[in-house]
C-alpha cells in the first residue's frame, strides 16, 4: 500500500473519539517526501475537538515542513469522508491546491483537488 495511506491508517488507530466514536486518520506528505500522520482528538467540551487533518498539518508545520503535495483521509464508512470546512480552509492556507485522497477500510478510494472542495477560497492574497 502507498506509504501515505498506510500512515493515515496507522494514525486512525490512535484516534481519541470517545464521544462520537467516529475514528478518523489523516496523513500529509511533504514535497521532500516526509509523511506526518494525525488523528481526531476529541474533548468533553466538544467544540475543542481537533480533526485528524488539522492534527496532521499542524504536526508537519511544527516540525518545520513548508511544502506539501498530498493528504490522505480515512474513516470506516462507505461514504468517503472529506475534510470539514474548517480543515479545508486551514489546508488551503498552508498547502495550496494539493491532492486530497479519501479512502475507507473497504478499499474505496477517490482523489480530489483541494480547489474542488474549496472553490474561490479566501487566503492571504486578499490581505495584501
Ligand atoms: N472529523 C475528522 O477528524 N475529520 C473529518 O474529516 C470529519 C470529522 C472528526 C471530528 C470529530 O472527532 C468526529 O470526526 C465527528 O465529527
Amino acid at each position: 500500500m502507498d506509504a501515505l495511506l498506510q500512515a493515515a491508517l496507522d494514525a486512525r488507530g490512535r484516534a481519541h473519539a470517545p464521544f462520537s466514536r467516529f475514528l478518523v486518520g489523516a496523513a500529509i506528505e511533504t514535497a521532500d517526501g516526509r509523511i506526518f500522520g494525525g488523528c481526531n482528538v476529541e474533548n468533553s467540551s466538544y467544540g475543542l475537538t481537533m480533526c485528524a487533518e488539522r492534527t496532521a498539518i499542524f504536526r508537519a508545520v511544527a516540525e518545520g515542513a513548508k511544502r506539501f503535495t498530498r493528504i490522505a483521509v480515512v474513516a470506516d464508512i462507505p461514504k468517503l469522508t472529506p475534510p470539514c470546512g474548517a480543515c479545508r480552509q486551514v489546508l488551503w492556507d498552508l498547502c495550496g491546491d494539493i491532492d486530497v485522497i479519501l479512502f475507507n477500510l473497504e478499499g474505496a478510494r477517490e482523489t480530489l483537488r483541494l480547489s474542488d472542495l474549496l472553490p474561490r477560497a479566501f487566503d492571504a492574497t486578499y490581505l495584501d
Side-chain angles (χ1 to χ4, degrees), residues 17 20 22 24 39-42 49-53 73 81-84:
S20 72
F22 189 68
V24 186
C39 58
N40 52 332
V41 182
E42 297 188 344
T49 289
M50 184 56 61
C51 292
E53 296 91 328
V73 184
T81 301
C84 76

Side-chain angles (χ1 to χ4, degrees), residues 34-111:
R34 287 183 291 164
I35 290 173
F36 296 90
C39 58
N40 52 332
V41 182
E42 297 188 344
N43 192 274
S44 55
S45 178
Y46 299 158
L48 300 183
T49 289
M50 184 56 61
C51 292
E53 296 91 328
R54 274 177 291 156
T55 303
I57 183 64
F58 290 154
R59 275 194 67 208
V61 170
E63 291 296 327
K66 294 192 188 315
R67 292 176 48 237
F68 303 95
T69 51
R70 302 186 294 164
I71 187 167
V73 184
V74 61
D76 186 23
I77 53 170
K79 193 160 70 162
L80 296 174
T81 301
C84 76
C87 289
R88 293 177 198 199
Q89 177 66 32
V90 169
L91 289 169
W92 181 267
D93 248 39
L94 294 170
C95 308
D97 199 12
I98 57 171
D99 278 338
V100 180
I101 303 163
L102 313 178
F103 70 110
N104 66 17
L105 300 191
E106 293 164 353
R109 177 175 169 173
E110 184 180 359
T111 301

Side-chain angles (χ1 to χ4, degrees), residues 92 120-128:
W92 181 267
R120 204 168 169 178
F122 178 80
D123 58 28
T125 62
Y126 290 88
L127 302 176
D128 290 342

